[in-house]
Structures are given as structure tokens and as C-alpha cells.
Amino acid sequence: MSDEYTLNAESRGDVGKGASRRLRNASKVPAVVYGADQAPMPVMLDHNEFSHRLANEGFYSHVLTLNLGKKQEKVVLKDLQRHPYRAQIVHADFQRISETEKLRMLVPLHFINENVAPGVRAGGLVSHQMTEVDIECLPKNLPEYIDVDISALEIGDILHLADIKVPEGVELYALAHGGKGEEPVASINLPAAEPVEEEEIEEAEAAEPVALRQKGEEGEEPEEDEAD
């Protein structure tokens, strides 16, 4: 597996808010590995290495190799907490995988062929109602992303969840569990007309034709002075 999908980790004994705070002050990220009928295992990661890996979109929806000394764990990233305003990762959860058990994951959507869609060529704008989708599959079938082709959309058309074509071995979680897939994913609509300012309307209604006003003023006969 490529290095971009591997991550080094160390086991940790101290847990709790105080221990996690000390780790973060030391540029470490507290994390937990769980699942596969094994006890949860607290670990810590190097903040800089982890942050670098997270710059790759595929890292969020890929089977990862977690190096723990001489031991390796196959995991997926299930939860990530970031500091609300600092560039800091606060905590992470990793789920162990089993090659025989299905995973439920969120994977990104990549919209393709927007520029050739009839609705776009006619001046419409594409609106994305979803940017990721909930899927279910075995680890070996886990895609990094799903392409969504909107080349056939006209103005006013809506592409729904049930219209998405997924790779073999992958199911849309909502459809696999009784959903109808009516949720909108993308649509093409005409751009909204720019509103006319109310002041402009009032000014237009109140204005008189200047030329006519001037003509009326010039055409009036001058008043004669009354004789003493």
C-alpha cells in the first residue's frame, strides 16, 4: 500500500482529559482504535504526519494501514475532531476492518461532464445538494469516491439519489435499507434575475421628461408689468 495510506501510531496508557491535553501540547493526537470484536485501544499519532495525510481526500474513504510498532492494523477513519478555530486535530477514531464484514462509510461525490450538460450550455447553473454519500460494502470494494455524470441534465432537471450509479459490490446505504432514493443530489436551474432596487423604481416613476418640462417653461408668455 502506498505510504499516503499508512500511518504510524503508538499505544498510550494514560487516558482522560488531562492526559489528552498533555499529548496535544506535545504535538500528538489522541486516538482510539476499536471494532472487530476486540477491546478499544488508545493510541497517539504525530500531529504533523497525520495532518499531512489528511490533505489527501482519499485518506477519508480508504482502507488504511496503522503501524503500531511491529504490529499492523487495517482500519478506516470513522471520526475526526478539529479545534474550532486553531489548525489543530483534537481526536480521531479508527475502526478495525474485517474482510468478511461490510463497512458503512461516507465517500465523496465527484461531478463530471457538467460543461457538456444541455442545461449548462443553455445558460443554466449546476447546484450540488450533496457532496458525499453514505454507502455499504466489503472493505475490498471500498471506493475513494463516486463519479456522478450529469451530462444529460436539462434546465429544471433534478438528479436524485436513486439515479447515482455505484461500482460493483457497493450499495447506497439508504436504498439498501428501505429508502426510496428521492433525495436530490444535483440540479440545473436558470440563474435568478437580479432584483431591481426599490429606489430606482421610485426615481423612474417620479421623473418627468426634462425636454417636455423645459419646452413648457419656454413657451409661456412673459407677464407684462402693470402700469402705474
Side-chain angles (χ1 to χ4, degrees), residues 18-30 86 88:
S20 295
R21 189 180 302 110
R22 288 191 293 273
L23 286 176
R24 287 190 282 268
N25 289 338
S27 297
K28 300 290 184 181
V29 179
R86 296 177 188 166
Q88 184 182 34

Side-chain angles (χ1 to χ4, degrees), residues 28-153:
K28 300 290 184 181
V29 179
V32 173
V33 182
Y34 68 93
D37 297 323
Q38 299 181 43
M41 178 173 56
V43 300
M44 56 184 175
L45 316 168
D46 179 79
H47 187 278
N48 289 340
E49 180 191 11
F50 191 27
S51 180
H52 179 72
R53 294 288 188 270
L54 291 173
N56 176 12
E57 180 191 47
F59 192 85
Y60 297 84
S61 54
H62 202 285
V63 175
L64 311 172
T65 299
L66 198 63
N67 293 325
L68 283 160
K70 296 181 180 180
K71 182 182 178 182
Q72 290 186 331
E73 295 268 16
K74 294 295 184 180
V75 300
V76 289
L77 178 62
K78 289 296 289 184
D79 189 53
L80 186 69
Q81 298 176 28
R82 298 181 185 269
H83 195 278
Y85 56 86
R86 296 177 188 166
Q88 184 182 34
I89 304 163
V90 175
H91 194 274
D93 288 349
F94 296 92
Q95 180 184 341
R96 298 184 185 95
I97 66 166
S98 168
E99 296 296 337
T100 59
E101 294 182 7
K102 287 185 176 181
L103 285 170
R104 180 182 178 182
M105 295 286 291
L106 283 173
V107 298
L109 298 175
H110 286 188
F111 294 89
I112 60 174
N113 297 326
E114 292 187 1
N115 59 328
V116 300
V120 172
R121 295 170 71 91
L125 298 177
V126 179
S127 176
H128 302 143
Q129 282 78 38
M130 289 188 185
T131 57
E132 57 185 12
V133 69
D134 202 0
I135 66 165
E136 192 173 54
C137 65
L138 290 173
K140 67 178 181 179
N141 296 322
L142 181 62
E144 292 184 21
Y145 58 86
I146 293 177
D147 282 332
V148 179
D149 188 351
I150 62 172
S151 61
L153 293 190

Side-chain angles (χ1 to χ4, degrees), residues 138-207:
L138 290 173
K140 67 178 181 179
N141 296 322
L142 181 62
E144 292 184 21
Y145 58 86
I146 293 177
D147 282 332
V148 179
D149 188 351
I150 62 172
S151 61
L153 293 190
E154 303 273 358
I155 289 177
D157 285 350
I158 300 174
L159 186 139
H160 297 90
L161 183 63
D163 300 323
I164 295 180
K165 296 181 179 179
V166 296
E168 185 176 354
V170 177
E171 295 179 294
L172 295 172
Y173 187 85
L175 299 185
H177 294 269
K180 296 182 179 180
E182 297 176 346
E183 300 90 336
V185 176
S187 59
I188 298 181
N189 300 286
L190 284 173
E194 294 185 6
V196 178
E197 294 292 337
E198 187 175 343
E199 291 182 2
E200 294 179 8
I201 297 175
E202 292 176 352
E203 289 176 2
E205 292 176 345

